[in-house]
Amino acid sequence: MRTEDHVDLFAEPVEADSAPTRVDGGRPRGLTAEGWVRTTGWLQVGDHPVSSVLLAAVAGLLWALVGAAALVTEFPVAAGVLTLTIPVISGVSWWLFTTRLRPASTARNVDTCRADELEPGDTIRLHGSIGPIGQVVEVALDDDARVVLHGGARRTWARDDVVHLAELLR
């Protein structure tokens, strides 16, 4: 059961030195040896991430339409085939890339907080509102917030810098 603050009341407590996990508790795709997770899902509509496969297919459709416009007078059948196949090839290629060649998990931003409010176990975006995700292991506060992430990486933010909290979906 999740509250409006995205807290699962029945979840097992997170160990501070454990690797990042998906919402369902599984191991995320794209977990690196350094402890951070490669992600997709940088575009969100409200609380729902837009599939990067869909974005790749739309980009393929736009390129196919440009190519079809150039070919339609000389090769109308080729223009039609191009318009139908390139989006599918683009989407499937991106899906294979993000699941097999360079695995990445789907993630969504759930909230923001100040760097001095981070706690061990928080899952955060490492580079603003997009990009890889890391799990906080330790937070030390002085003039800045010095954060140690799972895998040993260290980040430093000003105490009042905004950090994006995220969750791994797949």
Side-chain angles (χ1 to χ4, degrees), residues 65-88:
L65 291 173
V66 169
L71 293 175
V72 74
T73 56
E74 295 292 322
F75 306 101
V77 174
V81 170
L82 186 71
T83 304
L84 294 175
T85 59
I86 294 299
V88 173

PDB file of all heavy atoms in Angstrom, residues 65-88:
ATOM      1  N   LEU A  65       8.889   9.767 -42.751  1.00  0.00           N
ATOM      2  CA  LEU A  65       8.047  10.696 -43.515  1.00  0.00           C
ATOM      3  C   LEU A  65       8.886  11.626 -44.381  1.00  0.00           C
ATOM      4  O   LEU A  65       8.518  11.937 -45.512  1.00  0.00           O
ATOM      5  CB  LEU A  65       7.147  11.498 -42.572  1.00  0.00           C
ATOM      6  CG  LEU A  65       6.040  10.693 -41.884  1.00  0.00           C
ATOM      7  CD1 LEU A  65       5.330  11.551 -40.849  1.00  0.00           C
ATOM      8  CD2 LEU A  65       5.072  10.118 -42.903  1.00  0.00           C
ATOM      9  N   VAL A  66      10.019  12.063 -43.853  1.00  0.00           N
ATOM     10  CA  VAL A  66      10.925  12.904 -44.647  1.00  0.00           C
ATOM     11  C   VAL A  66      11.441  12.112 -45.849  1.00  0.00           C
ATOM     12  O   VAL A  66      11.442  12.594 -46.989  1.00  0.00           O
ATOM     13  CB  VAL A  66      12.097  13.428 -43.780  1.00  0.00           C
ATOM     14  CG1 VAL A  66      13.176  14.068 -44.635  1.00  0.00           C
ATOM     15  CG2 VAL A  66      11.585  14.397 -42.734  1.00  0.00           C
ATOM     16  N   GLY A  67      11.883  10.879 -45.607  1.00  0.00           N
ATOM     17  CA  GLY A  67      12.366  10.035 -46.707  1.00  0.00           C
ATOM     18  C   GLY A  67      11.271   9.703 -47.696  1.00  0.00           C
ATOM     19  O   GLY A  67      11.494   9.700 -48.919  1.00  0.00           O
ATOM     20  N   ALA A  68      10.054   9.448 -47.189  1.00  0.00           N
ATOM     21  CA  ALA A  68       8.933   9.120 -48.072  1.00  0.00           C
ATOM     22  C   ALA A  68       8.558  10.316 -48.933  1.00  0.00           C
ATOM     23  O   ALA A  68       8.219  10.149 -50.118  1.00  0.00           O
ATOM     24  CB  ALA A  68       7.737   8.664 -47.248  1.00  0.00           C
ATOM     25  N   ALA A  69       8.632  11.513 -48.367  1.00  0.00           N
ATOM     26  CA  ALA A  69       8.309  12.716 -49.150  1.00  0.00           C
ATOM     27  C   ALA A  69       9.276  12.878 -50.316  1.00  0.00           C
ATOM     28  O   ALA A  69       8.889  13.308 -51.404  1.00  0.00           O
ATOM     29  CB  ALA A  69       8.348  13.955 -48.255  1.00  0.00           C
ATOM     30  N   ALA A  70      10.531  12.494 -50.103  1.00  0.00           N
ATOM     31  CA  ALA A  70      11.526  12.601 -51.179  1.00  0.00           C
ATOM     32  C   ALA A  70      11.337  11.501 -52.231  1.00  0.00           C
ATOM     33  O   ALA A  70      11.655  11.700 -53.404  1.00  0.00           O
ATOM     34  CB  ALA A  70      12.931  12.526 -50.593  1.00  0.00           C
ATOM     35  N   LEU A  71      10.808  10.354 -51.818  1.00  0.00           N
ATOM     36  CA  LEU A  71      10.679   9.212 -52.731  1.00  0.00           C
ATOM     37  C   LEU A  71       9.317   9.069 -53.391  1.00  0.00           C
ATOM     38  O   LEU A  71       9.196   8.325 -54.366  1.00  0.00           O
ATOM     39  CB  LEU A  71      10.968   7.912 -51.965  1.00  0.00           C
ATOM     40  CG  LEU A  71      12.378   7.679 -51.466  1.00  0.00           C
ATOM     41  CD1 LEU A  71      12.424   6.413 -50.625  1.00  0.00           C
ATOM     42  CD2 LEU A  71      13.332   7.566 -52.641  1.00  0.00           C
ATOM     43  N   VAL A  72       8.294   9.712 -52.872  1.00  0.00           N
ATOM     44  CA  VAL A  72       6.931   9.410 -53.274  1.00  0.00           C
ATOM     45  C   VAL A  72       6.658   9.614 -54.767  1.00  0.00           C
ATOM     46  O   VAL A  72       5.890   8.855 -55.361  1.00  0.00           O
ATOM     47  CB  VAL A  72       5.912  10.202 -52.404  1.00  0.00           C
ATOM     48  CG1 VAL A  72       5.862  11.666 -52.781  1.00  0.00           C
ATOM     49  CG2 VAL A  72       4.545   9.566 -52.480  1.00  0.00           C
ATOM     50  N   THR A  73       7.278  10.569 -55.414  1.00  0.00           N
ATOM     51  CA  THR A  73       6.998  10.785 -56.843  1.00  0.00           C
ATOM     52  C   THR A  73       7.633   9.716 -57.727  1.00  0.00           C
ATOM     53  O   THR A  73       7.040   9.301 -58.719  1.00  0.00           O
ATOM     54  CB  THR A  73       7.494  12.177 -57.294  1.00  0.00           C
ATOM     55  OG1 THR A  73       8.872  12.311 -56.999  1.00  0.00           O
ATOM     56  CG2 THR A  73       6.695  13.277 -56.619  1.00  0.00           C
ATOM     57  N   GLU A  74       8.836   9.262 -57.372  1.00  0.00           N
ATOM     58  CA  GLU A  74       9.534   8.266 -58.199  1.00  0.00           C
ATOM     59  C   GLU A  74       9.214   6.827 -57.773  1.00  0.00           C
ATOM     60  O   GLU A  74       9.099   5.938 -58.611  1.00  0.00           O
ATOM     61  CB  GLU A  74      11.046   8.480 -58.113  1.00  0.00           C
ATOM     62  CG  GLU A  74      11.522   9.793 -58.695  1.00  0.00           C
ATOM     63  CD  GLU A  74      11.355   9.838 -60.210  1.00  0.00           C
ATOM     64  OE1 GLU A  74      11.580   8.798 -60.865  1.00  0.00           O
ATOM     65  OE2 GLU A  74      10.977  10.907 -60.717  1.00  0.00           O
ATOM     66  N   PHE A  75       9.116   6.597 -56.461  1.00  0.00           N
ATOM     67  CA  PHE A  75       8.932   5.245 -55.931  1.00  0.00           C
ATOM     68  C   PHE A  75       7.833   5.248 -54.863  1.00  0.00           C
ATOM     69  O   PHE A  75       8.111   5.143 -53.668  1.00  0.00           O
ATOM     70  CB  PHE A  75      10.227   4.717 -55.309  1.00  0.00           C
ATOM     71  CG  PHE A  75      11.406   4.769 -56.228  1.00  0.00           C
ATOM     72  CD1 PHE A  75      12.350   5.784 -56.106  1.00  0.00           C
ATOM     73  CD2 PHE A  75      11.576   3.813 -57.217  1.00  0.00           C
ATOM     74  CE1 PHE A  75      13.443   5.839 -56.943  1.00  0.00           C
ATOM     75  CE2 PHE A  75      12.661   3.867 -58.061  1.00  0.00           C
ATOM     76  CZ  PHE A  75      13.601   4.881 -57.937  1.00  0.00           C
ATOM     77  N   PRO A  76       6.568   5.346 -55.260  1.00  0.00           N
ATOM     78  CA  PRO A  76       5.488   5.457 -54.269  1.00  0.00           C
ATOM     79  C   PRO A  76       5.357   4.234 -53.354  1.00  0.00           C
ATOM     80  O   PRO A  76       5.062   4.379 -52.176  1.00  0.00           O
ATOM     81  CB  PRO A  76       4.237   5.679 -55.106  1.00  0.00           C
ATOM     82  CG  PRO A  76       4.593   5.244 -56.472  1.00  0.00           C
ATOM     83  CD  PRO A  76       6.061   5.391 -56.616  1.00  0.00           C
ATOM     84  N   VAL A  77       5.578   3.048 -53.885  1.00  0.00           N
ATOM     85  CA  VAL A  77       5.478   1.841 -53.053  1.00  0.00           C
ATOM     86  C   VAL A  77       6.595   1.826 -52.007  1.00  0.00           C
ATOM     87  O   VAL A  77       6.364   1.524 -50.833  1.00  0.00           O
ATOM     88  CB  VAL A  77       5.521   0.562 -53.929  1.00  0.00           C
ATOM     89  CG1 VAL A  77       5.571  -0.681 -53.063  1.00  0.00           C
ATOM     90  CG2 VAL A  77       4.319   0.523 -54.854  1.00  0.00           C
ATOM     91  N   ALA A  78       7.816   2.179 -52.420  1.00  0.00           N
ATOM     92  CA  ALA A  78       8.935   2.231 -51.485  1.00  0.00           C
ATOM     93  C   ALA A  78       8.681   3.269 -50.403  1.00  0.00           C
ATOM     94  O   ALA A  78       9.012   3.053 -49.225  1.00  0.00           O
ATOM     95  CB  ALA A  78      10.228   2.544 -52.227  1.00  0.00           C
ATOM     96  N   ALA A  79       8.055   4.394 -50.766  1.00  0.00           N
ATOM     97  CA  ALA A  79       7.741   5.429 -49.780  1.00  0.00           C
ATOM     98  C   ALA A  79       6.756   4.903 -48.743  1.00  0.00           C
ATOM     99  O   ALA A  79       6.908   5.145 -47.540  1.00  0.00           O
ATOM    100  CB  ALA A  79       7.175   6.665 -50.478  1.00  0.00           C
ATOM    101  N   GLY A  80       5.759   4.154 -49.186  1.00  0.00           N
ATOM    102  CA  GLY A  80       4.791   3.559 -48.257  1.00  0.00           C
ATOM    103  C   GLY A  80       5.419   2.522 -47.348  1.00  0.00           C
ATOM    104  O   GLY A  80       5.164   2.494 -46.138  1.00  0.00           O
ATOM    105  N   VAL A  81       6.242   1.661 -47.928  1.00  0.00           N
ATOM    106  CA  VAL A  81       6.926   0.637 -47.128  1.00  0.00           C
ATOM    107  C   VAL A  81       7.855   1.293 -46.114  1.00  0.00           C
ATOM    108  O   VAL A  81       7.919   0.877 -44.950  1.00  0.00           O
ATOM    109  CB  VAL A  81       7.694  -0.339 -48.053  1.00  0.00           C
ATOM    110  CG1 VAL A  81       8.605  -1.253 -47.255  1.00  0.00           C
ATOM    111  CG2 VAL A  81       6.714  -1.145 -48.895  1.00  0.00           C
ATOM    112  N   LEU A  82       8.559   2.307 -46.530  1.00  0.00           N
ATOM    113  CA  LEU A  82       9.456   3.040 -45.644  1.00  0.00           C
ATOM    114  C   LEU A  82       8.686   3.633 -44.459  1.00  0.00           C
ATOM    115  O   LEU A  82       9.101   3.505 -43.311  1.00  0.00           O
ATOM    116  CB  LEU A  82      10.150   4.154 -46.435  1.00  0.00           C
ATOM    117  CG  LEU A  82      11.225   4.957 -45.740  1.00  0.00           C
ATOM    118  CD1 LEU A  82      12.466   4.089 -45.553  1.00  0.00           C
ATOM    119  CD2 LEU A  82      11.570   6.183 -46.564  1.00  0.00           C
ATOM    120  N   THR A  83       7.535   4.224 -44.744  1.00  0.00           N
ATOM    121  CA  THR A  83       6.723   4.847 -43.705  1.00  0.00           C
ATOM    122  C   THR A  83       6.198   3.821 -42.700  1.00  0.00           C
ATOM    123  O   THR A  83       6.066   4.115 -41.521  1.00  0.00           O
ATOM    124  CB  THR A  83       5.546   5.617 -44.333  1.00  0.00           C
ATOM    125  OG1 THR A  83       6.067   6.561 -45.262  1.00  0.00           O
ATOM    126  CG2 THR A  83       4.726   6.341 -43.294  1.00  0.00           C
ATOM    127  N   LEU A  84       5.928   2.616 -43.151  1.00  0.00           N
ATOM    128  CA  LEU A  84       5.410   1.583 -42.252  1.00  0.00           C
ATOM    129  C   LEU A  84       6.507   0.836 -41.494  1.00  0.00           C
ATOM    130  O   LEU A  84       6.299   0.420 -40.353  1.00  0.00           O
ATOM    131  CB  LEU A  84       4.571   0.578 -43.052  1.00  0.00           C
ATOM    132  CG  LEU A  84       3.278   1.133 -43.670  1.00  0.00           C
ATOM    133  CD1 LEU A  84       2.620   0.068 -44.526  1.00  0.00           C
ATOM    134  CD2 LEU A  84       2.340   1.627 -42.585  1.00  0.00           C
ATOM    135  N   THR A  85       7.648   0.643 -42.108  1.00  0.00           N
ATOM    136  CA  THR A  85       8.665  -0.214 -41.477  1.00  0.00           C
ATOM    137  C   THR A  85       9.665   0.527 -40.599  1.00  0.00           C
ATOM    138  O   THR A  85      10.100  -0.016 -39.579  1.00  0.00           O
ATOM    139  CB  THR A  85       9.442  -0.996 -42.551  1.00  0.00           C
ATOM    140  OG1 THR A  85      10.059  -0.081 -43.446  1.00  0.00           O
ATOM    141  CG2 THR A  85       8.536  -1.955 -43.295  1.00  0.00           C
ATOM    142  N   ILE A  86      10.060   1.724 -40.975  1.00  0.00           N
ATOM    143  CA  ILE A  86      11.098   2.436 -40.214  1.00  0.00           C
ATOM    144  C   ILE A  86      10.688   2.689 -38.759  1.00  0.00           C
ATOM    145  O   ILE A  86      11.497   2.486 -37.856  1.00  0.00           O
ATOM    146  CB  ILE A  86      11.528   3.731 -40.935  1.00  0.00           C
ATOM    147  CG1 ILE A  86      12.215   3.407 -42.247  1.00  0.00           C
ATOM    148  CG2 ILE A  86      12.434   4.583 -40.050  1.00  0.00           C
ATOM    149  CD1 ILE A  86      13.485   2.572 -42.112  1.00  0.00           C
ATOM    150  N   PRO A  87       9.442   3.111 -38.462  1.00  0.00           N
ATOM    151  CA  PRO A  87       9.082   3.283 -37.051  1.00  0.00           C
ATOM    152  C   PRO A  87       9.172   1.977 -36.256  1.00  0.00           C
ATOM    153  O   PRO A  87       9.643   1.973 -35.104  1.00  0.00           O
ATOM    154  CB  PRO A  87       7.644   3.794 -37.094  1.00  0.00           C
ATOM    155  CG  PRO A  87       7.496   4.409 -38.430  1.00  0.00           C
ATOM    156  CD  PRO A  87       8.376   3.614 -39.343  1.00  0.00           C
ATOM    157  N   VAL A  88       8.753   0.879 -36.862  1.00  0.00           N
ATOM    158  CA  VAL A  88       8.825  -0.425 -36.178  1.00  0.00           C
ATOM    159  C   VAL A  88      10.289  -0.809 -35.944  1.00  0.00           C
ATOM    160  O   VAL A  88      10.667  -1.235 -34.846  1.00  0.00           O
ATOM    161  CB  VAL A  88       8.083  -1.508 -36.989  1.00  0.00           C
ATOM    162  CG1 VAL A  88       8.301  -2.880 -36.382  1.00  0.00           C
ATOM    163  CG2 VAL A  88       6.603  -1.174 -37.080  1.00  0.00           C
TER     164      VAL A  88
END
